[in-house]
Amino acid sequence: MRFIALLILCGLAFSGVADAQPIGEADLLRHIEILASDAFEGREPGTDGENKAVSYIATQWSAAGLRSAGENGSWYAPVPLVERRPESHRIYFFSSASGKVVRTVEDELLLWSRSPSFRASNIPVVFAGYALSGKGQPSVAGKLVLLPRTPPDTDDAFTGFGKRKLQLIRDGAVGVITVLDDQDRWPRFRRYFERGATSLAIEQNHAELEGVISFDQFEKLVRQSGLQAKTLLGDRDALSIVDLGLNAETKVETQVRSYLSHNVIGKIPGINPKRGALLFMGHWDHFGICRVEDPLNPGKDRICNGAVDNASGMSLLIETAKRLSNEQHDRDIYFLATTAEEKGLLGARAFVENPPVNLDTLIGVFNADTVALSDNGQKIAVIGLGENGLDRDIEIVAAQEGREIDRSGNADVYSKRQDGYIFLERNIPAYMITSAFADEERVKAFINGPYHEVSDEVNDSLELTGAAADANFYVALGRYLSSTGTYPGKATSGVADN
Ligand SMILES: [Zn+2]
């Protein structure tokens, strides 16, 4: 047990030592204007926009006094990626009883394969429900599986889907086609997948054939088998594998591109690193030049600049690093700018696969993503609260800083959609703390508005009041947690008592 009153006193005394100016909106805006400028072309991994973004971040952290902590003494940790982009496909579905072609699907279906060319015939087609395949289920080996993405009434769409897909691939499925349950979202998904599905080069967890199909096309297809799409998608507990009585013949061409991207890693060395380390992180990447040229309107904006998502988080981390590096700390403080978050948290995954610091010694991880939404610098959402060992310490710092913690839990649905989740999966205390997500209306307006669109750029609607308050909260949190006086952790092993 810790002595809270004593800690509060220590915290107050310690924060009085710092002489740096609080972080203001103008400090943040300066970096956002650069990172989200058209010159950075939307910070797409593997482009010149990446070069500009990672070198800007490394330069800023270097100027702040951080030490480089990437590979071979550099600021950068290479992240090899593979992108598979659908080029063309033909697919015919036959009735397995009569052998007749019952359907071809050209539109509203995208297919890509592990290798540049893939062809196969007579692949049995099955539907897989939400339950993981298990005892008594028909085998999926050698089959093409239609797999719905979002179980009804659950927020577990992301990990739940990934786990089910991986299980099917391990069970020998030749192909997995993702079924979308919402026709309205098809254009957005098509745009997303036309740009290619990207994974870490080290990951071997792909089927020969993958793809995505719209709800309408799925409905028409299963109707051939006398089944209702709504029934199949609506029942969480339905038998997992349903034979559709169809065989597929297909030929798929895919552009497969291997390339290198980079995480940026710096650190403030502590005087007692055996007592553990903390990690502040955010993703630098965004969607790049994300719209095709419109011949009727050639001057139209095509760049997804990602001002809020996530130039705002990076600017918070640059300013936080500047304040903290002026001071002496017991623990090491790492700063990580991840790549390819937008492609599935890939940079964060690469980091935990090959970390510059023993992950067991990380006492806490704090992810700054999409922080520039709220004009309320008082209330903060703490995503990860209740799942982690630092809850009480965060509450202490919040009280010390005059911040009120949002207890609604509304923001928890974003837990699995952010880089910190990769650490949570490994039982490392990971939080996303921001006033932006305490403001549910603004989050919703953002997600239904400029989120992942060309309109997420620097303009009058960029709100930095909350972000500046958040940045100062990060500084306070960094001071508190990096000090063994305020946060003792486990004295012997350097691992926190959580
Ligand atoms: Zn995003």
Side-chain angles (χ1 to χ4, degrees):
M1 285 309 281
R2 280 172 238 136
F3 297 92
I4 302 309
L6 181 67
L7 291 186
I8 292 170
L9 285 173
C10 292
L12 288 172
F14 199 83
S15 64
V17 172
D19 54 4
Q21 290 288 313
I23 297 164
E25 295 167 41
D27 298 320
L28 298 176
L29 182 59
R30 214 150 30 100
H31 307 299
I32 297 173
E33 280 177 335
I34 293 166
L35 289 165
S37 66
D38 283 355
F40 282 57
E41 294 178 335
R43 304 186 305 281
E44 164 95 11
T47 68
D48 191 46
E50 157 159 1
N51 297 339
K52 287 181 174 152
V54 297
S55 88
Y56 181 78
I57 294 158
T59 305
Q60 290 294 317
W61 279 346
S62 177
L66 268 60
R67 302 259 185 88
S68 60
E71 203 165 89
N72 300 324
S74 81
W75 288 94
Y76 309 112
V79 179
L81 298 173
V82 180
E83 176 194 81
R84 293 178 176 86
R85 193 186 283 245
E87 195 169 81
S88 65
H89 76 258
R90 281 207 313 262
I91 190 160
Y92 305 100
F93 293 95
F94 298 83
S95 155
S96 43
S98 70
K100 285 191 181 140
V101 176
V102 295
R103 197 154 178 83
T104 64
V105 186
E106 285 167 8
D107 297 332
E108 299 192 1
L109 169 70
L110 293 170
L111 294 174
W112 58 93
S113 46
R114 198 159 57 192
S115 34
S117 267
F118 173 81
R119 59 194 313 167
S121 48
N122 280 322
I123 324 171
V125 183
V126 299
F127 170 83
Y130 302 108
L132 278 177
S133 55
K135 279 179 262 148
Q137 295 278 337
S139 164
V140 295
K143 294 178 183 169
L144 175 60
V145 183
L146 298 171
L147 180 69
R149 190 178 133 86
T150 317
D153 309 320
T154 174
D155 59 10
D156 203 22
F158 291 88
T159 51
F161 172 77
K163 272 185 200 149
R164 287 180 296 131
K165 182 173 171 182
L166 199 57
Q167 185 64 50
L168 293 165
I169 292 167
R170 288 196 181 129
D171 291 346
V174 169
V176 181
I177 298 177
T178 306
V179 178
L180 298 177
D181 60 349
D182 179 351
Q183 188 63 25
D184 294 343
R185 285 159 79 201
W186 171 253
R188 185 172 269 213
F189 273 89
R190 187 190 57 210
R191 253 194 339 253
Y192 182 81
F193 284 104
E194 272 176 349
R195 295 170 57 74
T198 303
S199 49
L200 292 178
I202 53 167
E203 282 174 345
Q204 298 297 320
N205 48 9
H206 288 279
E208 292 279 352
L209 179 66
E210 298 189 6
V212 58
I213 189 169
S214 74
F215 176 79
D216 282 359
Q217 292 300 327
F218 173 71
E219 186 172 46
K220 286 175 184 154
L221 184 61
V222 298
R223 207 179 289 152
Q224 302 298 328
S225 316
L227 294 164
Q228 295 292 326
K230 284 242 157 67
T231 315
L232 286 172
L233 298 183
D235 188 355
R236 287 208 63 162
D237 307 314
L239 185 67
S240 195
I241 309 294
V242 180
D243 186 351
L244 297 178
L246 300 171
N247 280 359
E249 178 174 327
T250 185
K251 180 172 187 292
V252 178
E253 301 293 330
T254 305
Q255 292 174 32
V256 180
R257 182 172 73 99
S258 297
Y259 65 100
L260 212 54
S261 187
H262 302 84
N263 288 334
V264 189
I265 313 173
K267 87 173 186 182
I268 303 167
I271 52 175
N272 197 352
K274 285 195 172 136
R275 299 290 291 271
L278 64 155
L279 172 66
F280 289 115
M281 67 185 295
H283 72 92
W284 62 256
D285 71 302
H286 198 60
F287 286 98
I289 298 170
C290 58
R291 294 290 176 271
V292 290
E293 198 167 318
D294 178 355
L296 298 175
N297 192 354
K300 201 173 167 193
D301 188 6
R302 296 168 54 209
I303 303 173
C304 282
N305 301 84
V308 174
D309 179 14
N310 182 32
S312 69
M314 284 319 309
S315 81
L316 178 152
L317 294 174
I318 291 168
E319 289 299 315
T320 302
K322 279 191 197 170
R323 300 307 186 282
L324 289 174
S325 69
N326 280 333
E327 305 158 8
Q328 199 162 64
H329 307 280
D330 295 329
R331 298 187 168 92
D332 287 343
I333 306 177
Y334 281 85
F335 283 82
L336 165 65
T338 59
T339 180
E341 186 270 353
E342 304 286 16
K343 299 178 188 299
L345 318 182
L346 299 181
R349 276 198 231 168
F351 180 89
V352 297
E353 290 295 335
N354 187 18
V357 52
N358 181 349
L359 295 178
D360 292 338
T361 66
L362 286 180
I363 60 156
V365 176
F366 300 91
N367 185 33
D369 192 352
T370 306
V371 296
L373 293 179
S374 175
D375 63 352
N376 182 340
Q378 208 266 324
K379 217 169 179 186
I380 41 174
V382 182
I383 297 171
L385 200 69
E387 297 183 39
N388 280 303
L390 294 178
D391 289 4
R392 182 182 268 188
D393 299 281
I394 290 169
E395 282 164 3
I396 291 169
V397 180
Q400 173 193 305
E401 295 295 306
R403 306 294 297 267
E404 181 195 341
I405 293 176
D406 165 38
R407 304 279 173 184
S408 71
N410 290 336
D412 291 345
V413 296
Y414 301 103
S415 167
K416 288 167 183 162
R417 297 172 62 169
Q418 48 98 24
D419 272 342
Y421 185 68
I422 299 300
F423 294 84
L424 269 180
E425 275 186 320
R426 297 187 176 227
N427 296 317
I428 300 164
Y431 294 87
M432 184 158 116
I433 302 179
T434 172
S435 54
F437 285 74
D439 199 331
E440 203 190 2
E441 297 224 325
R442 291 213 194 209
V443 175
K444 284 199 171 139
F446 177 69
I447 286 183
N448 296 323
Y451 174 67
H452 292 182
E453 300 285 347
V454 292
S455 48
D456 179 9
E457 56 193 353
V458 176
N459 56 32
D460 290 346
S461 64
L462 194 65
E463 176 56 71
L464 292 170
T465 314
D470 293 349
N472 290 304
F473 187 75
Y474 265 55
V475 174
L477 203 57
R479 285 180 186 139
Y480 175 97
L481 289 173
S482 64
S483 161
T484 53
T486 42
Y487 181 74
K490 256 185 203 161
T492 46
S493 67
V495 179
D497 56 343
N498 50 53

